[in-house]
Amino acid sequence: MSAVKCLYCEKYFDKEEEAYSKIGRRYAHYTCYLKHQDKPEDQDSISRRELTDFIKNLYYPYNPDWKMIGTQIRKYKLEGMTYNGMKLTLDFFYNVKHNKLKKEQGIGIIPYAYKDAYLYHQRLKELENKKNEIIDKQIEKKEIEETIVIPVNNVEKKLIDFNY
């Protein structure tokens, strides 16, 4: 029996009896591996790199504690949060609500503000959809095809005489 601990769900399993995937020097259930791959969840999803770039810009001019932040990102991802959700939560908490950022703190506010940020951005999407519906009703879209002819003027050029 070779019992190993799953990287994602942290449960022990026998790798000789269950399907698994090897990630570096660690193992994971094959189903856990498929669930936690970095695939875009939807059209609004972003990569981990884009999230860290956002955090770097948020902390500017300070240098954040990347070890702590990386651990927090990994933990929140395992809890089912998306990179885009984390980014939108940080944007909501610091840019919309205007809370102060301290250079020694990480991104531990995400689990507490995630739902509020989600509701805020859902409301923004609803308002955007309503605005588009109103605009579509008011403006009748027409496609007009016009041909524009630009006349070419043949200008007579004067020659320069180099004979002195």
Side-chain angles (χ1 to χ4, degrees):
M1 176 176 163
S2 10
V4 291
K5 187 176 180 181
C6 178
L7 173 65
Y8 301 111
C9 70
E10 299 182 354
K11 293 180 183 175
Y12 286 94
F13 68 95
D14 186 5
K15 70 178 186 177
E16 294 173 0
E17 294 179 10
E18 293 186 44
Y20 68 91
S21 180
K22 188 170 182 182
I23 302 140
R25 297 182 329 182
R26 309 225 14 222
Y27 297 91
H29 293 104
Y30 187 69
T31 54
C32 292
Y33 170 74
L34 291 178
K35 275 196 281 187
H36 291 90
Q37 278 184 325
D38 272 345
K39 292 181 183 174
E41 289 86 10
D42 55 32
Q43 62 187 3
D44 295 331
S45 70
I46 62 171
S47 69
R48 182 182 175 103
R49 178 59 184 222
E50 291 170 306
L51 173 61
T52 55
D53 288 345
F54 178 79
I55 293 170
K56 182 179 177 183
N57 290 334
L58 191 64
Y59 273 83
Y60 184 79
Y62 307 113
N63 192 14
D65 182 3
W66 287 111
K67 184 176 180 183
M68 176 175 57
I69 289 175
T71 303
Q72 289 173 326
I73 290 172
R74 218 173 299 120
K75 178 184 172 193
Y76 301 149
K77 184 70 174 165
L78 292 174
E79 291 176 2
M81 298 179 196
T82 63
Y83 295 135
N84 192 42
M86 289 183 241
K87 177 186 174 233
L88 293 175
T89 301
L90 291 172
D91 181 51
F92 169 74
F93 191 75
Y94 292 112
N95 296 333
V96 175
K97 299 276 251 170
H98 303 292
N99 290 307
K100 299 290 182 200
L101 178 72
K102 297 175 186 166
K103 66 178 181 178
E104 66 275 352
Q105 76 186 48
I107 55 173
I109 193 64
I110 289 178
Y112 304 104
Y114 198 82
K115 187 174 182 179
D116 292 337
Y118 175 78
L119 295 173
Y120 171 78
H121 287 286
Q122 282 296 108
R123 184 70 179 140
L124 281 180
K125 284 182 183 179
E126 289 172 9
L127 291 173
E128 183 70 26
N129 290 339
K130 285 182 181 180
K131 180 188 87 169
N132 290 338
E133 287 176 15
I134 291 170
I135 290 173
D136 287 344
K137 288 179 183 176
Q138 289 178 351
I139 299 173
E140 184 179 319
K141 296 180 180 178
K142 294 181 181 179
E143 291 185 20
I144 301 172
E145 184 177 319
E146 291 184 24
T147 306
I148 299 174
V149 178
I150 301 173
V152 178
N153 295 333
N154 291 331
V155 179
E156 190 174 308
K157 296 181 183 178
K158 296 180 180 179
L159 300 176
I160 299 174
D161 187 16
F162 287 106
N163 296 326
Y164 293 106

